[in-house]
């Protein structure tokens, strides 16, 4: 059985480099803004998903996951726990390979549904914290 650490490592190194960041806007005070910048520095393509559909960090934004016209590998979720399960279900629907719930975002039922659909799932962790910890 995989440990959470194994899943984190797999998502960051093997799952793919296109990350849809749900909740990412041009608001530099929000955690999503800084985390997206770190992901870019580590070679990830960051796709902003936010109702405003703003361009952030040079990448065109989309109002929803369903509007993204290309494959997404990882859906990184920066919405509150009450909304996160629906985002996880959308990630499954668009064919993402993994879902990452940020620090403080917890929904056990969503984790079960997502894993049952065959996706990797990490909850209550931050890729900007985890990615520098990877062996180089």
């Amino acid at each position: 059985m995989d440990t959470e650490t194994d899943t984190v490592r797999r998502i960051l190194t093997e799952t793919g480099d296109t990350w849809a960041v749900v909740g990412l806007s041009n608001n530099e005070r929000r955690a999503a803004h800084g985390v997206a910048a770190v992901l870019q520095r580590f070679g990830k393509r960051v796709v902003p998903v936010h109702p405003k559909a703003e361009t952030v960090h040079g990448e065109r934004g989309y109002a929803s996951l369903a509007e993204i016209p290309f494959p997404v590998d990882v859906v990184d979720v920066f919405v509150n726990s009450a909304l996160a399960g629906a985002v996880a279900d959308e990630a499954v629907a668009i064919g993402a390979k993994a879902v990452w719930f940020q620090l403080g975002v917890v929904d056990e039922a969503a984790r079960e549904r997502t894993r049952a659909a065959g996706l990797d799932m990490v909850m209550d962790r931050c890729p900007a914290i985890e990615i520098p910890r990877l062996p180089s």
Side-chain angles (χ1 to χ4, degrees), residues 23-59:
L24 176 57
S25 71
N26 277 313
N27 184 343
E28 294 179 8
R29 293 185 309 273
R30 303 292 304 203
H33 198 273
V35 170
V38 171
L39 289 169
Q40 279 187 324
R41 282 199 301 276
F42 281 89
K44 307 299 182 189
R45 178 182 184 189
V46 172
V47 182
V49 179
H50 189 278
K52 294 179 183 175
E54 299 172 321
T55 296
V56 185
H57 297 309
E59 288 284 347

Side-chain angles (χ1 to χ4, degrees), residues 40-115:
Q40 279 187 324
R41 282 199 301 276
F42 281 89
K44 307 299 182 189
R45 178 182 184 189
V46 172
V47 182
V49 179
H50 189 278
K52 294 179 183 175
E54 299 172 321
T55 296
V56 185
H57 297 309
E59 288 284 347
R60 177 180 170 203
Y62 297 89
S64 71
L65 289 173
E67 292 179 24
I68 301 173
F70 47 82
V72 169
D73 300 309
V74 181
V75 175
D76 190 5
V77 182
F78 278 92
V79 300
N80 70 48
S81 297
L83 302 173
V87 176
D89 295 339
E90 289 176 49
V92 171
I94 66 163
K97 300 173 189 165
V99 175
W100 191 298
F101 280 8
Q102 280 297 139
L103 291 172
V105 181
V106 177
D107 183 333
E108 291 293 346
R111 179 181 2 217
E112 293 305 313
R113 290 193 308 275
T114 302
R115 288 186 171 164

